[in-house]
Structure formats: structure tokens, C-alpha cells
Amino acid sequence: MKIVCQNVWKVFGPTPERIVAQVTPEMSRAQIQADTGHVVAVRDVSLSVAEGEIFCVMGLSGSGKSTLIRCLTRLIEPSHGKILINGIDVTAMDATTLRDLRRNDISMVFQRFALFPHRRVIENVAFGLEVRGMDQAKREEIALDVLQMVGLNGWEYHYPHELSGGMQQRVGLARALAVDPEVLLCDEPFSALDPLIRREMQDELLRLQKTLDKTIVFITHDFLESLKIGDRIAIMKDGEIVQIGTPEEIVANPVNDYVREFTKDVPREKVLTASAIMRPYSGTLSAQTVAATTTLEKLIPIAANHDQPITVIADDTPVGEVDRVSVMMALAEGA
């Protein structure tokens, strides 16, 4: 795994170690704060992120998601636990090693762009390379290539205030990519954008990921955004992880009412696939077959035109069956 968090806590207050040791599972965040004056921002979080995965952390305001992502590189010091990146414990790194990790292996994209207003676009994009000590000609060559990659060629010598919000976020993304990091940390990067521009930036990130194959931790408060972008999603509440799974797993099997509330307005036909609703294979191959990855949206007209069960295929092997009734029941569960 590229990133592993093991029992990570962040407690704000004078004696966080004492709080970590004393807190019991039944104690709520509000109770802990009322009794001790400490705020538990991240509570016993364990998760892993695979190389090349887009891992979304979704939660409402105050859930602890932004604190968690800052703990990964110790922009906020965790109070307890281990954070491993490439198998190395970040919490045990000295200042020099940690600085090298931040400069060379990890980049961050912020919600509010965080561009230097007095620097032109190309200088903003090349900033990380400048910090590394790369000469100007080489870093600007790389910056130009990355700007073309994100669709900003022709804007290299403009200042940030001359760009739209969506274009400024493209600059922020380009700056993060210019240093060729192994890991990209995105803290609600699109939440300040208008809906149309936001959708364009989501598509842009997915397009770039197909080429670059980075490991991405993406923070969002928008469940639909996490469904679109994430290979897997962690849902947070009051500093804790409530559920981790693929978009399909979470929509099909929400672990509790809190998660179920997020899934109510999800277009299930676009998320759920045949593999999520199939029953065991009967042993009889049907004349009509579908791939296990076929969405309900594509499965509906097929099921409507067939009275007999439809065999579900994965890796050229029958793995299950669906029919008109199973498709309709899956759709009805979200109604």
C-alpha cells in the first residue's frame, strides 16, 4: 500500500496523550469536549490507499477530513498513531527527511488556490521546482509542458487575477503536478467553483489520472463528487471513519442511517452494476449474457426484453444471474 494510517488521532488541547488513553468507544466527541475541554478532530483512524488509487474522504463540515489529510504530511502533527508512506513512518521522520518528502514525493492542491498574486502563472507553476534549486530555463520548460497538459497554454505570462476561478485552480493543479509527485493530496479543490466549472475540473482530474496514474487522496463534502471521482470512499463523522468501500459498495450497502442519508439522492442506475444485484449462478448458461460491470442503466432495457434469467460474466466465467425482478428491486430500494 502507498499510504497506511494506523490508529491515527488528533486531539486539540493541552494534554492530548492523556485524552487518547482515557477515551472509551461510547464517549461522543461532544461529551469529551464538555468533560475535558479537548477537541477530538481525528479519532482512531485506520485506512490504506493503494498505489495509483483515487481515495476520497467525504464528510460534512467538522467531520475531521481536512485535519486528517494535513496529518499525512504532518502539516498538523498527529497526537497518536502511525502514518506510513512507501512503508516509512512519517511520524518518526526528522525535520530534514520530512522536508524532502514534502518537496519531492507529495504535492497538495488547496481549496482557495493559494497562488502567489505577484507572480505570473508560469512562475507559480514552477515554484516547487525553484524551491528544489532547479535552474530557471529547465523549470520553466517543465512548467510550460504541465500548463499545456491542463489546458492553459497561452496563459503562461498572465497574473492570477486575470484568470477565472476555474483557470486559477488549473494553475494550482499544474503547480502540484510540475514536481512529478508520487502522491497528490487534494483538500476540497473544486468546492469554491461554480457547478459547471466544478464538473469540468472533475473531468479534467480523471483525464489526467488516466495518463499520470498518481496516488490521490481527495477531500470533499460532496457525496456525488466522491462517487464520480473515487475508486474508494471513506465517509467520516465526528472524526471517525464510518464506512470505507467502493462507490458501488456504499450505495448498495450503507452501513447505517448516516450513510444511507447520503445515498438517497444517488442515481442508483448509474452506480450499481450487475455484480451488486446478481444471485448465485444456477449452472445453466443463458442465451443472453452481460458483463459483471454492466450498470443498471444499461441493464434495464436488456432485462425488459428477456423473460428468462440473464447470466452475468466475469473473466469469461459465469458468476451469477439477474432478471427483470432483481433489476426493479434494486431500483426500488433507492426510491
Side-chain angles (χ1 to χ4, degrees):
M1 287 292 175
K2 193 71 172 178
I3 302 171
V4 177
C5 293
Q6 299 176 345
N7 308 110
V8 174
W9 291 71
K10 178 58 189 178
V11 180
F12 291 100
T15 57
E17 299 87 356
R18 178 176 61 85
I19 301 303
V20 172
Q22 291 180 353
V23 167
T24 57
E26 66 272 9
M27 297 176 68
S28 68
R29 173 195 271 182
Q31 181 185 349
I32 296 167
Q33 185 172 355
D35 292 348
T36 70
H38 290 71
V39 176
V40 179
V42 176
R43 182 171 179 171
D44 199 22
V45 166
S46 295
L47 56 82
S48 58
V49 183
E51 186 167 2
E53 179 179 24
I54 301 181
F55 187 88
C56 284
V57 182
M58 200 288 302
L60 301 179
S61 179
S63 63
K65 57 190 185 298
S66 291
T67 302
L68 175 62
I69 199 174
R70 283 165 169 75
C71 285
L72 297 182
T73 56
R74 288 171 55 192
L75 291 176
I76 294 177
E77 287 284 352
S79 305
H80 179 81
K82 289 186 176 182
I83 297 168
L84 308 178
I85 296 179
N86 290 327
I88 301 172
D89 187 0
V90 176
T91 63
M93 288 181 176
D94 59 31
T96 300
T97 307
L98 181 59
R99 185 164 55 247
D100 288 343
L101 177 79
R102 293 171 178 170
R103 283 182 177 178
N104 300 313
D105 299 325
I106 299 176
S107 286
M108 194 158 185
V109 183
F110 299 92
Q111 178 180 350
R112 295 292 177 180
F113 317 143
L115 303 180
F116 296 114
H118 62 289
R119 289 190 170 215
R120 298 179 190 273
V121 166
I122 192 170
E123 295 167 330
N124 269 281
V125 173
F127 179 73
L129 301 173
E130 180 182 346
V131 171
R132 285 186 185 176
M134 186 179 291
D135 68 81
Q136 182 175 353
K138 181 61 177 176
R139 67 179 184 253
E140 290 191 355
E141 178 185 348
I142 293 173
L144 287 170
D145 287 342
V146 178
L147 283 168
Q148 184 170 7
M149 188 188 303
V150 300
L152 283 178
N153 46 311
W155 293 91
E156 301 89 343
Y157 300 102
H158 289 260
Y159 287 96
H161 72 268
E162 299 177 285
L163 278 61
S164 68
M167 294 169 74
Q168 289 184 47
Q169 192 56 287
R170 286 175 188 264
V171 176
L173 182 58
R175 179 180 57 193
L177 294 173
V179 298
D180 192 24
E182 296 180 24
V183 176
L184 197 61
L185 305 179
C186 302
D187 187 15
E188 300 201 62
F190 308 146
S191 63
L193 304 176
D194 293 334
L196 180 60
I197 304 301
R198 185 176 188 175
R199 189 159 58 248
E200 290 177 358
M201 288 302 300
Q202 293 166 355
D203 293 339
E204 182 74 7
L205 179 65
L206 292 173
R207 181 186 68 80
L208 290 169
Q209 177 66 352
K210 288 181 180 178
T211 303
L212 302 174
D213 198 30
K214 300 295 183 182
T215 302
I216 301 175
V217 180
F218 190 99
I219 304 298
T220 180
H221 64 264
D222 185 338
F223 186 59
L224 293 179
E225 181 171 63
S226 68
L227 292 177
K228 179 176 180 178
I229 290 177
D231 296 310
R232 287 189 301 143
I233 303 166
I235 297 180
M236 291 190 72
K237 180 185 181 186
D238 293 340
E240 297 182 90
I241 298 289
V242 179
Q243 184 173 0
I244 296 178
T246 65
E248 184 176 8
E249 288 169 346
I250 290 176
V251 171
N253 300 296
V255 71
N256 58 21
D257 289 340
Y258 179 75
V259 178
R260 193 170 292 108
E261 279 298 312
F262 288 111
T263 68
K264 279 185 176 180
D265 297 325
V266 172
R268 295 170 67 86
E269 70 278 5
K270 294 181 182 295
V271 178
L272 298 183
T273 63
S275 63
I277 68 167
M278 67 185 183
R279 58 177 177 266
Y281 179 52
S282 66
T284 302
L285 185 67
S286 306
Q288 178 65 51
T289 64
V290 295
T293 54
T294 304
T295 62
L296 263 61
E297 185 175 39
K298 295 178 180 178
L299 193 55
I300 290 170
I302 299 173
N305 290 321
H306 289 81
D307 295 325
Q308 299 302 314
I310 299 165
T311 302
V312 180
I313 304 292
D315 297 325
D316 298 322
T317 302
V319 293
E321 295 175 346
V322 295
D323 57 22
R324 192 179 302 160
V325 174
S326 60
V327 171
M328 296 308 294
M329 286 181 64
L331 291 172
E333 286 178 8

